[in-house]
Amino acid sequence: MPSVARRARPIRAWAVAAALLLAVAWPLASPNIFYINIGILVVLAAIGAVTLNLIIRTGHISLAHGAFMGVAAYTCVLLQTRAGIPFPVAMIVGCLASGLLALVIGPIILRLTGKYFVLVTFLLGEVIRLVFLEWQSVTGGANGIDQIPPGLDLFRSPVGFYYFCLAISVLCIGIVWRILCSDLGRAIDAIREADRIAESSGVPVIRIKVMVFVVACTLVGLQGALQAQMIHAIEPASFNMDVSLGMVVMNVLGGMYYLVGPLIGAVFMVGLPELLRGYVELQQIIFGIILIVVMAALPGGMIGAWHLAHRACTRKRNGSRA
């Protein structure tokens, strides 16, 4: 098994290098603005999917992740448009606002498990959405806030904005990867497998869950701030439960317990519907059928199916050698 793991490392390294090279070369290979915008949507969706994956690793599925993204987005836009604060500072403050809310709420809701946590986060997401909707003097109500100016001169170019979003996405993925590969990551896995046993072994379960929750909700704020810059407008519907549910589906499709899983799910969930736009009347039907087939045929996600196939080939090869 150690030799198999050692052989798999170069494969993973080459795969990561190839994916990063493809992402960097995407605007050059397809200069059409439509495909560049698809690339922007994919790298932004990757932020939400990967940060939610960090929460899922602790054994929780949150349906309020999109709402925390909205907290950062609204905070950033309000600071930028009404207080005149530069976008980079407003984006950081927006993310901190989302993280602070997670720090206040996390110790309360993270004591729940299973369906109770899912239901409470659904309720929390709806409460936050209603605040966006009803606080008209600040958030603009159902109309939201439009005509958001570009935060940086770089954002006036679709290619420049794509590379900025790609850099932020890579940063978020790197932070999540570093957490999962550290001792904290091993503690997170132990909590997911058996939180009571982990706690009896001296692992501070609640503290780690809160820490992970705060980090994930802080980082997803980057997606909210950049999404507002992309469409130059925000509204409550952009951060409803469907957004959070989409992030969950990305994780399930790609593989919930592999970091690359939500990335594959983001490409699939964002890229495929856009490429099916030519079939307007059948788009949702085709996408729904593909989604059902993939989820039914690959219960462990796409990356999970690849791992099973790789292990089967390895066992077959070792058996033939014996």
Side-chain angles (χ1 to χ4, degrees):
M1 291 300 292
S3 61
V4 173
R6 284 195 297 269
R7 286 197 300 268
R9 287 173 188 169
I11 297 175
R12 286 197 293 265
W14 279 107
V16 170
L20 189 57
L21 180 61
L22 176 62
V24 171
W26 180 256
L28 307 177
S30 53
N32 189 305
I33 294 180
F34 173 73
Y35 292 108
I36 293 175
N37 285 334
I38 290 179
I40 294 172
L41 290 173
V42 169
V43 296
L44 289 181
I47 297 175
V50 167
T51 53
L52 179 60
N53 182 259
L54 195 58
I55 298 174
I56 290 175
R57 291 295 189 98
T58 63
H60 295 287
I61 295 179
S62 173
L63 293 182
H65 213 50
F68 282 99
M69 183 175 77
V71 170
Y74 270 98
T75 304
C76 176
V77 169
L78 289 171
L79 290 176
Q80 180 190 354
T81 58
R82 300 188 183 180
I85 295 177
F87 171 75
V89 178
M91 180 174 67
I92 293 173
V93 174
C95 293
L96 292 177
S98 179
L100 180 61
L101 179 61
L103 182 61
V104 172
I105 297 176
I108 302 172
I109 66 174
L110 287 168
R111 298 180 186 277
L112 302 173
T113 58
K115 59 181 179 292
Y116 301 106
F117 180 83
V118 174
L119 291 173
V120 168
T121 54
F122 167 74
L123 177 61
L124 174 62
E126 285 298 297
V127 169
I128 294 174
R129 185 187 65 83
L130 287 174
V131 171
F132 296 154
L133 187 64
E134 299 297 333
W135 201 2
Q136 297 185 17
S137 60
V138 176
T139 64
N143 296 324
I145 303 172
D146 58 3
Q147 298 181 350
I148 300 172
L152 299 172
D153 290 337
L154 181 69
F155 295 172
R156 299 182 187 276
S157 165
V159 175
F161 185 65
Y162 169 82
Y163 282 121
F164 186 88
C165 293
L166 178 62
I168 295 296
S169 181
V170 170
L171 174 64
C172 292
I173 294 168
I175 292 173
V176 173
W177 173 80
R178 187 68 188 89
I179 290 173
L180 295 176
C181 291
S182 65
D183 292 338
L184 177 59
R186 286 183 280 275
I188 290 171
D189 289 335
I191 291 171
R192 183 186 72 248
E193 295 297 332
D195 56 349
R196 292 185 179 180
I197 295 176
E199 189 170 17
S200 65
S201 301
V203 177
V205 173
I206 296 298
R207 188 187 308 170
I208 290 177
K209 285 184 177 183
V210 171
M211 185 189 308
V212 168
F213 192 66
V214 170
V215 170
C217 293
T218 300
L219 293 179
V220 78
L222 295 170
Q223 180 184 356
L226 293 173
Q227 182 175 298
Q229 288 293 313
M230 179 183 179
I231 61 179
H232 304 292
I234 53 174
E235 59 178 351
S238 300
F239 310 107
N240 59 18
M241 194 270 292
D242 292 341
V243 176
S244 301
L245 189 59
M247 296 177 188
V248 174
V249 174
M250 290 176 195
N251 278 273
V252 173
L253 276 177
M256 290 192 295
Y257 304 126
Y258 306 92
L259 181 58
V260 72
L263 301 180
I264 296 174
V267 173
F268 187 90
M269 285 286 292
V270 175
L272 188 60
E274 294 296 332
L275 296 176
L276 290 174
R277 281 188 181 274
Y279 307 93
V280 178
E281 296 181 356
L282 299 176
Q283 178 189 8
Q284 295 299 325
I285 296 175
I286 295 173
F287 179 65
I289 292 173
I290 294 174
L291 194 62
I292 292 171
V293 170
V294 171
M295 293 183 69
L298 306 174
M302 297 179 185
I303 191 66
W306 184 88
H307 276 285
L308 288 175
H310 179 69
R311 290 172 186 170
C313 291
T314 302
R315 285 196 297 268
K316 185 176 181 180
R317 191 185 309 118
N318 292 338
S320 61
R321 288 178 183 175

